[in-house]
Amino acid sequence: MLRKGITESFGAAIHALSTTQLTDGVINRSKRMMLDTLGVGLLGTRTAVFNRALKYSQMFTSDERSSVWGNPGINLPPHYAAFVNGIAVHSMDFDDTWHPATHPSGAVLPPLLALAETLPSQPSGLDLLLAFSVGIEVQGRLMRFSTEAYNIPERFHPPSVVGVMGSAAASAKLLGLSPAQCCHALAITASSAGAPLANAATQTKPLHIGNAARRGLEAARLAQMGLEGNPAILDMDCGFGVYYKDYSPSAMSHPASNDFKWILEDQDVAFKRIPAHLGMHWVVDAALAARAKLENTVRNSGTDLSQIRCITLRVPLSKYINCPIPATEHQARHSFQFSACSALLDNKVTVSSFSEAQINRPALRELLSKVNVETPEDNQPSFDKMYCQVEIETNQGQRFAARCDTFYGHWRKPLSQEDLVEKFSVNASSVLCTEGVEGVIDVIGNIEKVRECSILGSYLRMTGSQHEPLYSTRVS
């Protein structure tokens, strides 16, 4: 059944939204998202998947050039800069996660920064902040067109579907497109949406974010040049509705009406403390708590993990984050079993936990062989309702169990500003010099007061003189 006017309402709202409509809550949350995205993106520029994408993208040239984060002297056509920077953001699965499920920021910030460098009149920090918030808002509204979207995905990776639309909306906003052009930008980019979940836990998954960033920017540019798509793309079951079994779209309130309210005002995002799929955060916290109980019992004799006979994980049913014996870093990032065993063995999970050497340790492999996974019916496959329980049983028959219902960093238990800045600093300092790290923190912290957002790009190019590469930078 054709529902009229929904796409038009989105085009009108994207065009009409102004900086005066930005609330303090949206500004603060957007700034936190932007800072975290830049941090994980900078760290991600030292990974193998980023380096391969960069090598490929350097084959292309254009009159317009945009910079690559953390790589001074390297410039690419803007859509390829958005592509590689987007890949960097998701290369370690370290970027933010929203509810309903998606990674919202990585698809939006890279195209905006790439596009800003090419505009004849340099956008202000407030312009950048508004366009970013618009891109996030569009994603949030599209995800609410289906109850299916509230659960852990089963068929496609959400950023490839809603992220590309957010990228188009944000880019259209920064370009100042008309309402009709905004509609066409959404229609054009809808034909570039979608990525099968079968490519999760592979090197291709980060490309989902990179492609979303790139294709959304391209769609906005094409709409600016007069290319048209179906102006009712969001209204139709055979339009954007093809991605959801229970598609039920609704119009976007005009910003001038009393009905308009930012979704980001009500729904916070999750910021990750470890570079892995969001579900891993529950099982890691539960495993650490179970290990602590074990240590408290045997502290006089020392913790001997070889005495563990069985490890039981009670997690929600999800095929793509159930990887019993991971062979690669990307599989490990999507493995309840690896995350729990790594936490039990090391009493922590860090960036280096996912190196080839760490994954293949005999002690870790031994623990993995002892894991059983149960999926209780009450454990719903939703990032808002799921839990993880880890139970350790020793050879002596002792049992130590712990359950995590909400990990620190979840939207119900958000990272403090101090911890968020600390996460950014640790990640960014692996690439940038101290001046660059502090400069990015200052610019993002005061972005609504910055006259020209180009200052942000200058700090993102201030690399340190000597940095150890990540374990995964070698390209064969």
Side-chain angles (χ1 to χ4, degrees), residues 350-417:
T350 66
V351 170
S352 62
S353 299
F354 299 91
S355 68
E356 183 178 347
Q358 294 292 91
I359 291 171
N360 292 320
R361 288 177 292 170
L364 182 61
R365 294 283 160 169
E366 177 67 18
L367 279 183
L368 284 169
S369 70
K370 300 177 180 180
V371 175
N372 294 316
V373 174
E374 297 178 0
T375 54
E377 290 186 3
D378 71 329
N379 200 351
Q380 299 184 44
S382 164
F383 294 134
D384 202 43
K385 299 177 181 179
M386 65 175 280
Y387 67 85
C388 287
Q389 184 181 52
V390 176
E391 182 176 84
I392 303 168
E393 182 179 348
T394 68
N395 291 331
Q396 294 75 34
Q398 295 173 297
R399 294 175 183 267
F400 305 92
R403 169 170 162 161
C404 177
D405 292 285
T406 305
F407 66 87
Y408 179 48
H410 191 274
W411 45 83
R412 288 193 301 268
K413 197 175 181 180
L415 287 183
S416 67
Q417 185 64 18

Side-chain angles (χ1 to χ4, degrees), residues 172-183:
K173 185 62 184 176
L174 199 64
L175 286 169
L177 300 192
S178 69
Q181 288 174 322
C182 290
C183 290

Side-chain angles (χ1 to χ4, degrees), residues 428-466:
S429 63
S430 67
V431 177
L432 302 183
C433 65
T434 300
E435 183 181 355
V437 173
E438 294 177 350
V440 173
I441 293 172
D442 181 63
V443 170
I444 295 298
N446 298 282
I447 191 70
E448 68 272 33
K449 303 173 185 176
V450 173
R451 289 187 178 182
E452 293 188 354
C453 65
S454 59
I455 185 66
L456 181 59
S458 66
Y459 285 121
L460 291 172
R461 291 188 290 271
M462 290 186 180
T463 57
S465 56
Q466 294 292 330

Side-chain angles (χ1 to χ4, degrees), residues 29-31 33-34 37 96 104-106 108-109 112 127-137 139 166 170 173 264:
R29 286 179 175 174
S30 291
K31 291 197 293 188
M33 295 164 74
M34 292 167 74
T37 300
D96 56 17
S105 300
V108 173
L109 190 57
L112 288 179
D127 294 331
L128 180 69
L129 185 65
L130 175 62
F132 177 84
S133 300
V134 167
I136 301 301
E137 180 71 15
Q139 293 180 72
K173 185 62 184 176
L264 189 58

